[in-house]
Amino acid sequence: MSKEPSPPSAPARKPGSQVIVDTLVEQGVEVMFGYLGGVVLPLFDKLYDSPIRFIIPRHEQGGCHMADAYARATGRVGVVVATSGPGATNLTTGLATAMMDSVPLVALTGQVRTELIGNDAFQEADTTGITRPITKHNVIVKDPQELAPTIREAFYIASTGRPGPVLIDIPVDMQIAEVPVTPPGKVSLPGYRIRTHGHARQISAAARAINEAQRPVLYVGGGVITAGAAAELRALAKKANLPVTMTLMGLGAFDQTDPASLDMLGMHGTAYANFAVQECDLLIAVGARFDDRVTGHLKTFAPQARVIHIDIDPASISKNVRVEIPVVGSAKDILAELTDAVEPRERAEWFARIAAWKQRHPLQYDRQGSGIKPQYVIEELWRQTDGQATIVTGVGQHQMWTAQFYRFRRPRQFISSGGLGTMGYGLPAAIGAQVARPGELVVDIDGDSSFNMTMNELCTAVQYELPVKVCLINNGYMGMVRQWQELFYGRRYSCSSLKNPDFAKVAEAYGAVGVTVTDKADVSDAVARMLAETRPCVFDFHVDREENVWPMVPAGRSLHEMDGLDIFEMA
Amino acid sequence: MKHIISALVLNKPGVLAHVAGMFAARAFNIDSLAVGRTDDPNLSRMTIVVIGDDRVVEQVRKQLAKIVTIVKVQDFAGQDVVARDLMLITVSCPAEKRPEIQALIEMFMAKVVDIGPKTVMVEVAGPESKIEAFIDSCRPYGIKSMVRTGTVAMARYVRGRATKETNE
Ligand SMILES: Cc1ncc(C[n+]2csc(CCOP(=O)(O)OP(=O)(O)O)c2C)c(N)n1
Ligand SMILES: [Mg+2]
């Protein structure tokens, strides 16, 4: 059959849905997550023949967390798709999670036909209106020619500066419309400028302050990981001889097996980190935002310290704490320049004080009792993986124990919902991380209540043969809530205990492996079995029900006023 | 303290919602907001009067600059600016009060734009203080209705200094 040559005057055309897929491929997308529905069918039809791998979750929230964790594990942009109305509203928790933790994400939502918008059409929701405060940027496409440039802009905005989720709402008629094929143009965003290079004068002021400091502390947040600046951080800490403490989001930025690590600070941070911050004469914040879970009572936070704040987001600076030396720009460049400018210092006295705090107040728990301590399970997991596994969590006590007892060694190793604290993040995030790291060990250390929220994604793990391991810290409580009720509401455990299913049986029903562990003596073997498992699995550890997370700075107290420092010394 | 912030924004749908939403979400107080076209058809200018201390206003400026569709943000604090409001106000005006009210209007360099049997509509432009003073002067006669644009402002020419607009 011979093909008619097209007349030279008419430019080639293709449907909007094809433009979307081609632009995604052009942006380097290899895998996407998402769910179907009427107004995204044209798009899915074109995905059918595309080289992009597609993972279907069992709920759009799960899909969004998967894309988010894929992004956190790789540093690349995660992509999620949902249909209009309920599909889009199901994304919101995932978008807000990504927004709070500055995760680069592009969400594509279908929308009803352009001429129906505003008419309360079937499955219509004002998606851009709903998601405006939980995205870095969002836009609805009303001209099919804008599809390609809008997608390019979305990837650019999502992944640069302080990253975040960008949502593109695409009415179904935009997907169907025939669009002339045009060569890719340059992204032009007059309202979007990022300062990457730190101001030289600010950098030398910071270097001077570091050289002068007797008792400095580096306070490191997730921004260092985002910026890919862990090596630069290490170089600075080594050259200037600075102790390093990390936020929950910053864990992995600095090897916790290094003696200069003070581990995590804040509400459930280590005593030695919090004491060091309260006693320091210079606090060097890098890619961190002085969150209230970190600072405790703001007025008494780091009372003796001069403050340097390095951040790519100018709005983060002086938002909560007055900063003497702000440096706006990329942590990677700035830390490298700072390292060149600082001088080696010994600070023997300061490190001796820190060592004494470490000796006096290590993280600890009762190892003697007969029940399974949650910390023991996590410590055992840490020991048997040599601290090298990718660890994902839900939200609650188990998340804090993970932050305390799994000692992280490298960036992007710890994946957890920090800013929003989203229960149910664990399993879908583990799936996203496993997609990003095929063949590597990914463990979701989850809480029973958190797991209950999204455990339907076990289906997804089974379907795509993703051997994620769920290490369930099952205390039969919303443990973190119960702890607050114990401490602040006179042990009145109002509504914080739920009847759980037999998680091992649930796992098996989904086609995964399920094992229940109730005996302390079995923990070590069970962990070994879990790590050796080649299929998705749930290991349900029935732990001591009323164990608490210590130490703790109760909300509103100063960072050094920690409870629970001495409770194990009686034994 | 009142600050006048001027923002150059892309002329795209959703920008106003973005600004209004950001103010609400971050609990900032808007005193007035005026939006209008500029000489460039792609751009609009928003003039926002914000109440807050310096730290709050600094956050407002930075958060505005973060919005992707906002091109430039400028805080006029500490600058010599021309700031103007426009008001239409309808005042009760029975025949016997006309000379009095006419004198008032002339004193304020305002303009009568409509006359009814017992009312008069007046257009007043000027700095906020003048507008307020005019309102106070009209009160005894009875204000039927009034509408204000909100402040618009522009920096005066200063020798040797280019007007600075930031986009961080
Ligand atoms: C979606 C969501 N709903 C409610 C909360 C409030 N919350 C924080 S921790 C917690 C309990 C978590 O219980 P579980 O997952 O069993 O973890 P545990 O604290 O017992 O380790 C709750 C309800 C939350 N963080 N996220
Ligand atoms: Mg629990």
Side-chain angles (χ1 to χ4, degrees):
Chain A
M1 221 162 63
S2 72
K3 235 173 153 192
E4 288 273 330
S6 50
S9 55
R13 289 177 165 264
K14 54 186 176 184
S17 50
Q18 190 64 54
V19 172
I20 297 170
V21 172
D22 291 351
T23 313
L24 292 172
V25 171
E26 167 207 302
Q27 292 296 312
V29 175
E30 288 168 5
V31 55
M32 284 163 73
F33 306 84
Y35 214 85
L36 292 93
V39 294
V40 284
L41 284 178
L43 173 60
F44 273 89
D45 187 63
K46 294 298 175 279
L47 283 168
Y48 198 55
D49 309 313
S50 88
I52 298 173
R53 181 176 180 206
F54 207 94
I55 309 276
I56 318 280
R58 294 308 183 266
H59 187 295
E60 289 87 350
Q61 178 189 351
C64 202
H65 291 329
M66 288 174 199
D68 159 312
Y70 174 87
R72 295 191 206 216
T74 57
R76 304 172 59 184
V77 177
V79 184
V80 62
V81 182
T83 193
S84 64
T89 55
N90 272 353
L91 285 183
T92 51
T93 301
L95 293 172
T97 303
M99 181 71 176
M100 284 293 258
D101 289 345
S102 308
V103 178
L105 208 65
V106 168
L108 306 174
T109 48
Q111 183 55 276
V112 301
R113 270 183 294 135
T114 318
E115 80 260 25
L116 289 180
I117 289 176
N119 283 350
D120 302 319
F122 177 63
Q123 295 198 323
E124 182 188 356
D126 176 10
T127 302
T128 48
I130 291 167
T131 59
R132 193 166 289 122
I134 52 172
T135 51
K136 183 175 175 184
H137 181 56
N138 73 17
V139 57
I140 179 165
V141 178
K142 290 192 170 166
D143 171 0
Q145 299 227 51
E146 288 296 313
L147 280 169
T150 304
I151 293 170
R152 286 183 197 115
E153 286 166 15
F155 275 79
Y156 181 69
I157 293 168
S159 59
T160 51
R162 180 175 177 177
V166 178
L167 181 140
I168 310 175
D169 201 25
I170 309 175
V172 64
D173 49 319
M174 296 296 116
Q175 301 168 40
I176 296 165
E178 294 283 324
V179 189
V181 177
T182 50
K186 261 195 75 176
V187 170
S188 151
L189 291 162
Y192 185 76
R193 248 160 285 161
I194 309 147
R195 202 189 297 162
T196 51
H197 291 288
H199 200 292
R201 195 158 19 117
Q202 294 300 91
I203 292 174
S204 43
R208 223 173 310 122
I210 293 172
N211 291 339
E212 286 163 8
Q214 308 286 323
R215 303 184 308 280
V217 170
L218 261 168
Y219 148 47
V220 170
V224 169
I225 294 172
T226 305
E232 289 76 7
L233 173 76
R234 185 167 187 79
L236 175 65
K238 289 295 138 189
K239 183 174 178 194
N241 220 6
L242 308 168
V244 182
T245 180
M246 289 161 275
T247 67
L248 184 78
M249 296 308 300
L251 290 176
F254 191 75
D255 187 343
Q256 287 186 266
T257 60
D258 190 295
S261 172
L262 300 174
D263 306 320
M264 186 172 75
L265 82 165
M267 179 176 273
H268 290 300
T270 62
Y272 40 94
N274 287 353
F275 290 170
V277 167
Q278 292 300 81
E279 292 282 312
C280 73
D281 63 355
L282 177 70
L283 189 67
I284 310 147
V286 193
R289 58 190 177 87
F290 298 86
D291 178 89
D292 56 284
R293 283 289 182 272
V294 158
T295 60
H297 185 56
L298 208 53
K299 292 243 155 59
T300 55
F301 175 69
Q304 309 167 39
R306 303 172 70 185
V307 179
I308 299 172
H309 191 177
I310 300 168
D311 207 292
I312 193 125
D313 179 7
S316 273
I317 286 169
S318 291
K319 187 173 70 176
N320 299 333
V321 165
R322 229 194 54 76
V323 172
E324 182 189 327
I325 308 171
V327 194
V328 175
S330 158
K332 197 176 173 70
D333 300 1
I334 295 168
L335 288 174
E337 287 173 52
L338 255 184
T339 306
D340 288 340
V342 294
E343 290 155 14
R345 291 277 188 278
E346 197 184 355
R347 312 191 211 277
E349 208 175 302
W350 181 225
F351 275 94
R353 276 183 80 187
I354 288 170
W357 284 324
K358 280 191 172 184
Q359 174 106 43
R360 171 86 178 79
H361 300 294
L363 285 171
Q364 49 188 338
Y365 64 93
D366 174 16
R367 291 162 204 271
Q368 313 304 327
S370 58
I372 302 178
K373 288 290 177 193
Q375 301 94 327
Y376 171 53
V377 179
I378 293 163
E379 225 174 36
E380 194 55 28
L381 184 65
W382 168 72
R383 196 179 61 78
Q384 292 194 28
T385 55
D386 192 28
Q388 298 287 4
T390 296
I391 301 289
V392 181
T393 72
V395 170
Q397 291 182 310
H398 63 280
Q399 179 190 32
M400 293 300 118
W401 285 317
T402 303
Q404 292 179 333
F405 289 92
Y406 199 99
R407 305 170 67 72
F408 295 93
R409 313 204 51 177
R410 52 170 206 281
R412 305 193 182 281
Q413 189 192 353
F414 176 58
I415 295 177
S416 190
S417 167
L420 198 68
T422 309
M423 285 173 71
Y425 179 75
L427 177 60
I431 291 171
Q434 187 77 77
V435 169
R437 298 192 177 143
E440 290 183 33
L441 197 55
V442 177
V443 183
D444 168 30
I445 300 178
D446 221 332
D448 47 319
S449 302
S450 291
F451 184 58
N452 261 317
M453 287 199 174
T454 52
M455 66 182 173
N456 53 344
E457 300 299 350
L458 274 175
C459 272
T460 314
V462 169
Q463 177 174 341
Y464 296 96
E465 298 178 6
L466 299 163
V468 294
K469 282 117 186 102
V470 179
C471 173
L472 206 56
I473 304 296
N474 184 351
N475 50 16
Y477 274 117
M478 300 174 192
M480 186 57 92
V481 168
R482 187 208 54 72
Q483 175 168 347
W484 283 53
Q485 289 175 329
E486 176 186 332
L487 300 176
F488 311 121
Y489 293 88
R491 284 182 175 269
R492 289 155 53 82
Y493 295 160
S494 172
C495 306
S496 53
S497 140
L498 299 175
K499 181 156 175 52
N500 281 323
D502 180 334
F503 288 112
K505 278 193 184 153
V506 169
E508 281 178 356
Y510 277 122
V513 172
V515 174
T516 310
V517 187
T518 54
D519 229 325
K520 185 179 178 183
D522 297 336
V523 168
S524 183
D525 283 352
V527 168
R529 239 182 98 190
M530 175 171 78
L531 296 176
E533 190 51 65
T534 55
R535 286 192 290 154
C537 60
V538 177
F539 278 66
D540 179 15
F541 293 91
H542 289 215
V543 299
D544 274 4
R545 297 197 62 201
E546 298 197 20
E547 183 67 12
N548 285 333
V549 183
W550 300 118
M552 176 177 193
V553 182
R557 264 214 255 138
S558 301
L559 207 51
H560 58 279
E561 295 173 334
M562 311 189 78
D563 287 340
L565 284 185
D566 298 316
I567 56 171
F568 308 109
E569 293 183 358
M570 275 90 91
Chain B
M1 239 266 280
K2 273 190 189 175
H3 282 245
I4 303 173
I5 290 179
S6 176
L8 208 54
V9 309
L10 291 183
N11 207 348
K12 286 197 174 173
V15 182
L16 185 58
H18 219 136
V19 171
M22 187 278 287
F23 270 81
R26 296 193 179 267
F28 297 143
N29 273 319
I30 298 185
D31 188 60
S32 74
L33 170 66
V35 193
R37 280 183 233 155
T38 65
D39 55 317
D40 181 339
N42 299 313
L43 297 174
S44 294
R45 165 96 50 195
M46 285 188 189
T47 309
I48 308 165
V49 179
V50 191
I51 304 170
D53 60 27
D54 287 353
R55 249 201 38 208
V56 169
V57 176
E58 187 188 337
Q59 266 297 307
V60 170
R61 189 176 54 74
K62 287 173 168 178
Q63 295 293 349
L64 280 172
K66 261 172 93 161
I67 295 174
V68 172
T69 42
I70 295 191
V71 179
K72 275 178 184 168
V73 183
Q74 187 176 14
D75 180 357
F76 283 134
Q79 291 189 45
D80 188 8
V81 294
V82 178
R84 293 290 182 266
D85 270 43
L86 175 68
M87 172 172 71
L88 296 175
I89 184 166
T90 301
V91 186
S92 278
C93 188
E96 70 273 17
K97 297 284 184 192
R98 271 196 192 160
E100 252 175 69
I101 293 179
Q102 186 58 41
L104 194 66
I105 290 167
E106 271 166 31
M107 217 157 70
F108 276 87
M109 289 194 283
K111 210 157 86 187
V112 174
V113 286
D114 188 40
I115 292 185
K118 287 181 183 160
T119 58
V120 58
M121 191 200 294
V122 184
E123 173 192 315
V124 199
E128 203 183 358
S129 53
K130 171 177 160 184
I131 304 271
E132 301 286 350
F134 189 76
I135 295 169
D136 286 345
S137 312
C138 289
R139 256 185 236 290
Y141 305 103
I143 296 168
K144 293 285 175 205
S145 177
M146 59 172 269
V147 56
R148 291 171 65 171
T149 55
T151 303
V152 293
M154 202 178 264
R156 285 184 199 274
Y157 172 74
V158 177
R159 274 183 72 183
R161 191 180 70 188
T163 35
K164 188 173 134 251
E165 289 186 289
T166 54
N167 183 340
E168 286 168 308

